[in-house]
C-alpha cells in the first residue's frame, strides 16, 4: 500500500480519485459522418451536413471507430458488450448545432476492465496496483468556439464536431497524485500501443476529468468535486494535490464539500468553481431514434482481439524472462510503443538483446537527449545501430571507438562500416601488439632510425606507414602515432 496522507490539524486524511478520460479515436473520418478528422485544418473545412445538423440528415456509425474502441476494451481486459446503444444527451451550446450529443449512457460498448499501474518506489507507489475501469463508451465531440478572432463576436469552428471520442471511466481506486499520474501514463501507453488514440494531451486528443474527494482513512467516501478537461499528466497531479488540500482545509474549518464542477488554472496551479450541482444540467437522456442498437458478432470481436499487438506488460515480461534484459531496462524500453518498436528493429537486424538494450539506454538515449530529439527522429536507423553493435561484437571496434563511430554516424548519417573503412577507426588499440610491431620496424630499419634521430623528422611518416602496413591497416592511427613518438624518443 502506498500511504499518501494529508495531515490536517485534527488528524490524517486520505484522498480518493477517479478519472474520466476522453480519448479521441484515431480514424480518418468522424463517428457518424464521412468528414475528415485531421488536426490543425482551417476552421470549418471538415464539416459534413450531418456534423452541421442539417435537417433530415441521418447518422451512420463508422465501424472503424467502433473497432478501435473494442480493441481498446480488449487491451484493458474488459468485457465487450455485443449489444450496446446510443443515447442523446440534450443541451444547448453554440458549439453543438444538433442540440444534443450522441453518447452512450445506459448500455456502453465496453464494460468492466482494469489497468495495472506499476510500482514506482521513488514516486511512493510501493507495489503494482490494479485500477478498475468501470466502462468505455463512445460519443461525439463538440465544435470549438473562438473568442480571439473579433472584438465583439465569437466564431465557431465545427471541425471537431462529431469526431469520435472514447470516454474511459475509472473506478475511484486511486489514492494519491502519483497513482493518478501513473494511471494516465499507463492508459496513454496502452492507447498508443493499440493505436486507437495518439495520446497527444497538448493537442487535446486526450484529456481527463479529475474526480477528487477526501475522507478519514477507512471511512466512507466523501463528497467529490470534478475538475474538467485537464490536459497533461503534470496538471492531473497538480489538480489532485491542490483540490485535496483545499477540501481538507474546508472540512477542518467545519465546512462542507459541495459536489461541483471545477476548472484547473495552470498558471496558478489551483482549481476554481465552475458550476455547482444545484444548477447541474438535466440532459434528458433518451435512446437516439435515428440509430439502431449496435450489435456486434463474435467474429467482429475476435478479429479485434486478433489484431492487437503485444501489449506493454507482456512485452516487458518477455524482455526480462526470454531476452535476459534487466527489469529496469525492460521498464524503460517498453514504456512507450515507439521505443519498443525501435529496439525490436535493432534485434530484427541481428543484434544481441542485452548488448542492444544497454546501448539504446546509454548511447542512443544520451545522444537523443543532447540533440533534443525523440526516438522516431533519431538520425541513426535501427539497422545502422545493429551494424554498429555487430562491429563491437566481432571485436572490430572497441567501446571507445564505437562511441567515436556513433558520433560520426549522427553527424553524417553514414553506415558504420563505411566510417570504419574510411577513417581507419578499426580497433587495435591494443598497445602491446602495436608496440611489438613498432619495435620490429625500428630494428629492421636502423638507417632511417639514425637519420630520424639526427634531425630528419619527416621520416616519422615513414615509420607510421611501415607500422600500419605491418598491421594490415588494423591499428588505430592515433594510438600508433602516440606509441611511435614514445619509441622514437627513446
Ligand atoms: P456520475 O454518474 O455522477 O458522473 P460516476 O459514478 O459516473 O458519477 O463517477 C464519475 C467518476 O467519479 C468516476 O471516475 C468515479 O470513479 C469517480 N468517483 C465517484 N465517486 C467518487 C468519490 N467519492 N471520490 C472520488 N471520485 C469518485
Ligand atoms: Mg460520469
Amino acid at each position: 500500500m502506498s500511504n499518501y496522507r494529508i495531515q490536517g490539524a485534527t488528524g490524517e486524511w486520505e484522498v480518493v480519485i477517479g478519472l474520466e478520460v476522453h480519448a479521441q479515436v484515431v480514424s480518418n473520418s468522424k463517428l457518424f459522418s464521412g468528414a475528415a478528422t485531421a488536426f490543425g485544418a482551417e476552421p470549418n473545412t471538415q464539416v459534413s451536413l450531418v456534423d452541421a445538423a442539417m435537417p433530415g440528415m441521418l447518422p451512420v456509425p463508422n465501424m472503424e471507430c467502433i473497432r478501435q474502441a473494442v480493441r481498446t476494451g480488449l487491451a484493458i481486459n474488459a468485457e465487450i458488450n455485443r449489444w450496446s446503444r446510443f443515447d442523446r444527451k440534450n443541451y444547448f451550446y453554440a458549439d453543438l448545432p444538433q442540440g444534443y450529443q450522441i453518447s452512450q449512457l445506459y448500455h456502453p460498448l465496453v464494460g468492466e476492465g482494469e489497468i495495472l499501474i506499476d510500482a514506482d518506489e521513488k514516486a511512493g507507489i510501493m507495489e503494482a496496483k490494479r485500477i478498475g475501469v468501470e466502462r468505455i463508451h463512445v460519443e461525439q465531440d463538440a465544435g470549438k468556439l473562438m473568442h480571439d478572432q473579433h472584438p465583439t463576436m465569437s466564431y465557431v469552428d465545427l471541425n471537431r464536431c462529431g469526431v469520435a471520442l472514447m470516454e474511459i471511466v475509472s473506478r475511484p481506486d486511486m489514492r494519491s497524485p502519483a497513482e493518478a499520474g501513473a494511471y494516465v501514463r499507463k492508459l496513454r501507453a496502452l492507447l498508443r500501443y493499440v493505436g486507437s488514440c495518439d495520446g497527444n494531451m497538448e493537442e487535446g486528443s486526450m484529456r481527463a476529468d479529475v474526480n477528487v474527494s477526501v475522507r478519514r482513512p477507512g471511512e466512507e467516501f466523501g463528497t467529490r468535486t470534478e475538475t474538467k478537461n485537464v490536459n497533461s499528466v503534470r496538471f492531473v497531479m497538480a489538480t489532485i494535490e491542490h483540490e485535496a488540500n483545499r477540501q481538507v482545509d474546508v472540512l477542518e474549518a467545519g465546512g462542507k464539500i459541495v459536489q461541483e464542477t471545477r476548472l484547473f488554472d495552470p498558471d496558478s496551479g489551483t482549481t476554481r468553481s465552475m458550476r455547482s450541482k444545484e444548477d447541474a444540467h438535466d440532459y434528458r437522456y433518451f435512446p437516439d431514434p435515428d440509430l439502431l442498437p449496435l450489435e456486434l458478432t463474435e467474429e467482429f470481436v475476435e478479429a479485434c482481439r486478433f489484431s492487437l499487438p503485444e501489449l506493454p506488460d507482456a512485452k516487458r515480461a518477455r524482455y526480462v524472462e526470454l531476452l535476459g534484459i534487466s527489469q529496469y531496462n525492460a521498464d524503460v524500453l517498453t514504456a512507450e510503443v515507439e521505443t519498443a518498436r525501435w529496439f525490436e528493429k535493432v534485434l530484427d537486424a541481428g543484434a544481441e538483446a542485452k548488448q542492444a538494450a544497454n546501448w539504446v539506454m546509454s548511447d542512443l538515449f544520451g545522444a537523443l537527449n543532447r540533440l533534443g530529439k525523440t526516438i522516431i527522429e533519431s538520425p541513426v536507423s535501427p539497422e545502422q545501430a545493429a551494424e554498429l553493435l555487430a562491429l563491437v561484437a566481432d571485436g572490430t571496434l572497441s567501446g571507445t571507438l564505437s562511441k567515436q563511430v556513433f558520433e560520426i554516424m549522427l553527424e553524417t548519417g553514414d553506415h558504420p562500416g563505411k566510417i570504419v573503412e574510411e577513417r581507419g577507426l578499426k580497433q587495435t588499440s591494443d598497445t602491446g601488439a602495436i608496440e611489438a610491431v613498432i619495435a620490429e620496424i625500428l630494428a629492421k630499419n636502423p638507417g632511417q632510425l639514425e637519420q630520424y634521430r639526427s634531425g630528419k623528422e619527416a621520416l616519422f611518416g615513414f615509420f607510421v606507414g611501415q607500422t600500419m602496413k605491418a598491421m594490415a591497416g588494423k591499428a588505430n592511427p592515433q594510438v600508433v602515432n602516440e606509441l611511435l613518438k614514445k619509441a622514437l624518443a627513446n
Side-chain angles (χ1 to χ4, degrees):
M1 263 304 277
S2 55
N3 49 2
Y4 179 87
R5 293 278 193 275
I6 294 177
Q7 186 63 51
T10 62
E12 286 194 325
W13 297 87
E14 182 178 54
V15 185
V16 174
I17 304 143
L19 296 176
E20 294 162 281
V21 172
H22 286 94
Q24 184 178 323
V25 177
V26 171
S27 74
N28 293 327
S29 53
K30 295 183 178 179
L31 181 54
F32 296 114
S33 84
T37 57
F39 178 77
E42 282 292 299
N44 297 309
T45 55
Q46 302 182 340
V47 187
S48 77
L49 297 172
V50 175
D51 310 317
M54 290 296 126
M57 300 310 297
L58 284 176
V60 178
N62 174 348
M63 286 310 284
E64 176 56 19
C65 299
I66 303 302
R67 195 179 81 87
Q68 290 292 28
V70 169
R71 295 174 74 242
T72 306
L74 293 168
I76 61 163
N77 259 324
E79 240 173 86
I80 305 301
N81 294 321
R82 300 258 303 277
W83 191 98
S84 68
R85 200 180 63 190
F86 291 102
D87 304 303
R88 288 187 180 179
K89 177 179 180 177
N90 299 280
Y91 65 94
F92 175 80
Y93 203 62
D95 65 7
L96 185 77
Q98 276 177 164
Y100 57 84
Q101 176 195 31
I102 305 179
S103 181
Q104 297 189 303
L105 178 66
Y106 304 105
H107 298 281
L109 179 60
V110 177
E112 199 75 34
E114 65 184 13
I115 288 177
L116 300 175
I117 59 172
D118 304 313
D120 181 350
E121 292 185 17
K122 262 196 252 155
I125 307 172
M126 303 316 280
E127 54 191 47
K129 180 172 168 180
R130 174 195 179 281
I131 308 297
V133 172
E134 179 190 320
R135 59 194 274 152
I136 301 178
H137 63 257
V138 180
E139 63 187 23
Q140 300 174 299
D141 205 347
K144 191 175 82 183
L145 291 184
M146 297 182 289
H147 304 292
D148 55 357
Q149 309 283 309
H150 189 277
T152 56
M153 287 192 283
S154 288
Y155 289 126
V156 59
D157 173 10
L158 294 181
N159 280 353
R160 232 172 49 198
C161 203
V163 165
L165 300 177
M166 296 179 278
E167 181 171 336
I168 303 153
V169 184
S170 87
R171 293 277 174 202
D173 288 347
M174 287 157 274
R175 294 289 177 271
S176 69
E179 286 185 2
Y183 171 86
V184 175
R185 279 197 303 272
K186 188 65 175 280
L187 172 57
R188 185 177 57 188
L190 280 165
L191 293 170
R192 286 174 172 167
Y193 264 83
V194 170
S196 58
C197 169
D198 66 26
N200 288 336
M201 298 186 81
E202 327 74 57
E203 290 179 3
S205 48
M206 188 177 153
R207 43 195 197 262
D209 296 346
V210 183
N211 296 273
V212 176
S213 64
V214 297
R215 65 172 177 185
R216 297 290 187 192
E219 287 184 2
E220 300 278 285
F221 284 167
T223 304
R224 74 188 150 99
T225 63
E226 177 177 8
T227 303
K228 286 276 190 196
N229 280 330
V230 184
N231 70 349
S232 79
V233 173
R234 201 156 53 83
F235 293 164
V236 166
M237 294 170 67
T239 294
I240 298 162
E241 192 83 50
H242 176 269
E243 188 49 24
N245 278 287
R246 187 192 68 83
Q247 292 183 13
V248 166
D249 289 346
V250 170
L251 293 170
E252 293 255 327
K256 266 194 173 160
I257 301 303
V258 276
Q259 188 172 345
E260 60 179 356
T261 304
R262 299 180 68 88
L263 272 184
F264 177 71
D265 172 22
D267 294 327
S268 63
T270 61
T271 65
R272 61 187 158 80
S273 182
M274 195 164 101
R275 59 170 185 258
S276 71
K277 190 77 180 176
E278 279 77 56
D279 46 17
H281 298 267
D282 174 3
Y283 293 115
R284 294 180 294 121
Y285 274 99
F286 64 86
D288 191 313
D290 285 344
L291 287 158
L292 288 169
L294 190 60
E295 291 186 68
L296 303 179
T297 62
E298 193 179 336
E299 292 73 49
F300 181 87
V301 176
E302 286 317 302
C304 288
R305 195 189 306 279
F306 188 72
S307 77
L308 284 180
E310 183 181 40
L311 295 170
D313 290 342
K315 197 181 274 302
R316 182 176 50 191
R318 178 169 67 83
Y319 281 13
V320 172
E321 285 152 29
L322 284 156
L323 301 181
I325 294 171
S326 75
Q327 185 70 48
Y328 178 76
N329 285 1
D331 280 352
V332 177
L333 292 171
T334 58
E336 287 291 343
V337 68
E338 298 295 353
T339 314
R341 267 194 207 134
W342 206 98
F343 172 66
E344 289 181 17
K345 280 192 198 148
V346 181
L347 301 192
D348 289 345
E352 191 274 320
K354 266 191 281 188
Q355 181 204 16
N358 290 332
W359 181 83
V360 168
M361 295 284 296
S362 58
D363 294 33
L364 181 67
F365 285 173
L368 293 176
N369 235 338
R370 195 152 34 83
L371 298 171
K373 288 186 189 289
T374 67
I375 201 157
I376 354 177
E377 302 162 336
S378 167
V380 167
S381 73
E383 293 73 21
Q384 289 175 322
E387 210 184 302
L388 177 66
L389 291 170
L391 293 173
V392 176
D394 74 8
T396 305
L397 291 175
S398 62
T400 325
L401 276 175
S402 82
K403 286 188 204 306
Q404 240 172 293
V405 171
F406 180 48
E407 285 306 320
I408 300 168
M409 290 167 75
L410 288 166
E411 277 164 34
T412 62
D414 281 347
H415 281 266
K418 181 170 172 235
I419 294 168
V420 167
E421 250 354 282
E422 284 182 357
R423 314 217 179 188
L425 284 170
K426 253 178 226 180
Q427 162 145 295
T428 291
S429 316
D430 176 351
T431 50
I434 298 173
E435 273 166 351
V437 171
I438 288 173
E440 221 179 284
I441 301 285
L442 298 190
K444 264 201 239 160
N445 299 283
Q448 280 88 342
L449 181 60
E450 212 187 299
Q451 284 180 42
Y452 178 87
R453 285 191 169 146
S454 57
K456 204 172 173 195
E457 289 186 8
L459 276 171
F460 188 75
F462 164 81
F463 291 113
V464 172
Q466 293 295 307
T467 311
M468 294 301 275
K469 198 172 144 197
M471 299 200 66
K474 277 211 162 188
N476 180 336
Q478 225 179 316
V479 179
V480 170
N481 270 318
E482 280 166 25
L483 295 179
L484 254 179
K485 268 184 208 151
K486 239 200 284 172
L488 288 168
N490 287 334

